[in-house]
Amino acid sequence: IQGTIRPHAIIILPNTSGMELLLTYEDEGIYIDIYGHFTKETVLQWGEMPASVAYLPSNQVMGWGEKAIELRSVETGNLEGVFMHKKAQKLKFLCERNDK
């Protein structure tokens, strides 16, 4: 990547004793260990550039952008759900309830 990188979140992967991380930045995420070595060849790729990224206790990562909120598996990066919205400024809050 040339120029400035916009980081979003550093997520400690579950069941790794804090040794493996998911680093999310720009429109992707990479899996590394605490020494900076890649642990998976998989790259988490968002459908659109998220404004923010958050970890959910349901082992999902949520990224919300201008047109959609994406839910992806922390372990695999696979898309698990998409919520479309028209205007990001109208989205006042988002919460997790009963693991949903």
Side-chain angles (χ1 to χ4, degrees):
I1 297 176
Q2 299 293 324
T4 305
I5 297 173
R6 185 173 64 166
H8 296 297
I10 299 171
I11 299 164
I12 299 170
L13 295 176
N15 304 319
T16 64
S17 300
M19 299 293 288
E20 294 182 23
L21 310 166
L22 170 60
L23 301 179
T24 58
Y25 59 93
E26 299 296 329
D27 64 345
E28 63 186 26
I30 57 171
Y31 297 88
I32 64 169
D33 63 19
I34 60 170
Y35 304 107
H37 302 110
F38 289 99
T39 59
K40 297 181 183 182
E41 292 191 23
T42 304
V43 174
L44 185 148
Q45 187 71 50
W46 299 104
E48 69 172 323
M49 178 76 76
S52 296
V53 173
Y55 173 73
L56 302 175
S58 56
N59 284 336
Q60 294 174 312
V61 63
M62 176 175 56
W64 53 91
E66 196 168 311
K67 296 179 182 176
I69 299 167
E70 296 180 34
L71 292 173
R72 294 187 172 270
S73 166
V74 168
E75 296 294 327
T76 64
N78 292 338
L79 183 64
E80 294 185 345
V82 177
F83 301 94
M84 302 301 290
H85 59 85
K86 292 183 180 182
K87 294 188 177 185
Q89 63 267 22
K90 286 191 174 184
L91 185 65
K92 294 192 186 273
F93 65 90
L94 187 66
C95 63
E96 182 180 22
R97 188 172 168 183
N98 298 329
D99 291 330
K100 295 181 180 178

